[in-house]
Amino acid sequence: MSAEETLDLKTVCNGGKLQLSRALSLLEQSPAKMLNLLNDCYQAPKAHVIGITGPPGVGKSTLLAELIKTYRAEGRTVGVIAVDPSSKRSGGAFLGDRVRFSTDPEDQGVFVRSMAARERLGGLADLTIAAMVLMRAVFDIVLIETVGVGQSETDVSGVTDTVVFCVQPGSGDSLQFMKAGIAEIPHIALVTKADMGKAAERTKADLRGALSLASENGGDWAVKILALSSSDRTGLTEFVSSVDEHYEWLKNEGRLFELRNQQAKQWLSEAVRDLYGKKGLSFIQEADLSLDLIDGISPFELLAQIQKEFIFTRQQAL
Ligand SMILES: Nc1nc2c(ncn2[C@@H]2O[C@H](COP(=O)(O)OP(=O)(O)OP(=O)(O)O)[C@@H](O)[C@H]2O)c(=O)[nH]1
Ligand SMILES: [Mg+2]
């Protein structure tokens, strides 16, 4: 029996960290062979996917560690994807005091996977999407940490349900936040290191000012501005409730389904463009292969179909 036949959704869901690691490695080696598993996972989403983004050193990993503890204490299972910034994006905490959290190896309810970022997509490698879909079918919560400085925050919004943008007290990020026009992206703007006192309060006020000038995010969700300290856990409970609240809001009126569908379409058209350039997109139009997702089909499946069709048509043309 070949490896992909043994790795079905049930095995991955019930096989603990061992099977999940195996699935992720196989995904890295040959994504095409994992198509069936990916399709099944895509059709069986379970987790709330949360993106934690912000500049280097803002405290994302420290926050993740506290979030993991909180969710595990509540009995919720957590998968984590930490997207390592490429070497180009040097500077900030990871040169010196970057936090690399560790989790209990015995706890089957938490799984952490680091991934390298691909610069071209501004931080999120294609594999991130596949890994997210896999983990989304397994855990209650999926957390994705990415370094975002400027426009790259938009990338995490392509794979997550809730985007949290972290801002360092007194860093002027709120100004950048406004200038970069990314105020429409996060659902929660979070001032970290609130134990730094007045600076955190000021930054929170700055953010409020910046956001009052910006348009509102995604219809009627008003961006929440919060502050917390991962060091003393002040504000953590309120933050966790706000994240849950956003998920509840998404689940109303089919917003979540619509959002994920849009993300899948976006991913698919980018994948087609990456593979075949603009020619690929026009081929799809000419051949009348829609990028729209039909019920019951995953973007991975559709991409595989497009690839087959593309190769077939080209062979015919030769
Ligand atoms: N005072 C204080 N320091 C904090 C807090 N959270 C994180 N830090 C410190 O900030 C530094 C950077 O924290 P990280 O969690 O590594 O930041 P990061 O955003 O994950 O950094 P990168 O992954 O490099 O982008 C570390 O020295 C942390 O100890 C906090 O709540 N209060
Ligand atoms: Mg980090």
Side-chain angles (χ1 to χ4, degrees):
M1 218 189 278
S2 67
E4 66 272 15
E5 279 169 300
T6 60
L7 262 184
D8 54 20
L9 180 57
K10 213 169 139 209
T11 313
V12 174
C13 283
N14 300 332
K17 293 199 250 201
L18 184 72
Q19 292 303 337
L20 189 58
S21 303
R22 219 178 122 217
L24 287 168
S25 313
L26 286 170
L27 207 60
E28 260 165 71
Q29 288 156 20
S30 63
K33 285 190 187 159
M34 301 298 284
L35 196 56
N36 285 342
L37 177 63
L38 276 178
N39 286 339
D40 290 347
C41 288
Y42 186 80
Q43 307 301 346
K46 180 175 157 192
H48 178 197
V49 186
I50 304 155
I52 307 284
T53 188
V58 70
K60 301 178 294 293
S61 300
T62 315
L63 171 62
L64 248 66
E66 292 309 315
L67 285 176
I68 292 168
K69 273 189 225 157
T70 308
Y71 287 133
R72 291 305 294 130
E74 291 173 1
R76 296 199 253 184
T77 59
V78 189
V80 178
I81 301 174
V83 182
D84 279 333
S86 69
S87 53
K88 272 194 206 163
R89 292 185 194 273
S90 54
F94 56 89
L95 288 178
D97 59 353
R98 174 175 219 196
V99 169
R100 290 218 158 258
F101 54 86
S102 54
T103 52
D104 177 4
E106 295 299 312
D107 183 359
Q108 293 294 329
V110 57
F111 181 90
V112 181
R113 178 72 179 226
S114 288
M115 289 189 173
R118 202 174 66 177
E119 190 67 24
R120 199 155 50 95
L121 283 182
L124 284 174
D126 264 355
L127 193 62
T128 314
I129 317 272
M132 180 279 285
V133 167
L134 208 78
M135 287 196 194
R136 188 171 69 185
V138 175
F139 298 104
D140 299 322
I141 300 278
V142 172
L143 297 168
I144 305 183
E145 176 187 347
T146 56
V147 171
V149 216
Q151 292 297 339
S152 55
E153 284 82 0
T154 51
D155 292 318
V156 80
S157 73
V159 288
T160 53
D161 308 322
T162 300
V163 178
V164 178
F165 182 63
C166 300
V167 177
Q168 169 115 5
S171 63
D173 288 337
S174 46
L175 206 68
Q176 195 201 357
F177 182 81
M178 190 170 63
K179 275 196 203 142
I182 55 157
E184 290 173 45
I185 305 303
H187 305 105
I188 298 173
L190 181 70
V191 180
T192 53
K193 311 185 188 182
D195 49 286
M196 286 169 78
K198 282 226 165 67
E201 274 310 310
R202 247 193 329 268
T203 304
K204 209 173 150 188
D206 284 354
L207 272 175
R208 212 169 273 129
L211 281 166
S212 66
L213 299 174
S215 58
E216 283 200 342
N217 178 305
D220 49 340
W221 174 262
V223 181
K224 289 208 177 231
I225 302 164
L226 302 170
L228 68 66
S229 161
S230 302
S231 301
D232 62 19
R233 293 176 66 92
T234 311
L236 197 70
T237 311
E238 195 193 340
F239 173 68
V240 170
S241 317
S242 296
V243 168
D244 285 341
E245 206 180 296
H246 185 246
Y247 193 46
E248 289 309 315
W249 179 82
L250 279 175
K251 284 195 284 188
N252 283 333
E253 295 169 35
R255 290 184 187 107
L256 185 64
F257 179 80
E258 182 54 28
L259 172 74
R260 288 173 172 178
N261 219 28
Q262 283 299 333
Q263 290 172 338
K265 270 194 235 175
Q266 182 68 25
W267 174 82
L268 189 61
S269 65
E270 274 165 26
V272 170
R273 213 184 39 220
D274 277 3
L275 281 168
Y276 308 115
K278 284 206 182 105
K279 219 189 281 170
L281 291 175
S282 54
F283 161 79
I284 286 168
Q285 271 162 3
E286 278 163 34
D288 209 19
L289 282 170
S290 168
L291 280 178
D292 278 339
L293 292 169
I294 316 152
D295 272 343
I297 193 164
S298 82
F300 309 106
E301 177 64 42
L302 206 49
L303 182 64
Q305 278 180 21
I306 289 167
Q307 279 176 289
K308 254 188 236 156
E309 217 31 68
F310 193 78
I311 291 161
F312 177 74
T313 313
R314 298 203 80 180
Q315 275 169 348
Q316 295 246 307
L318 290 174

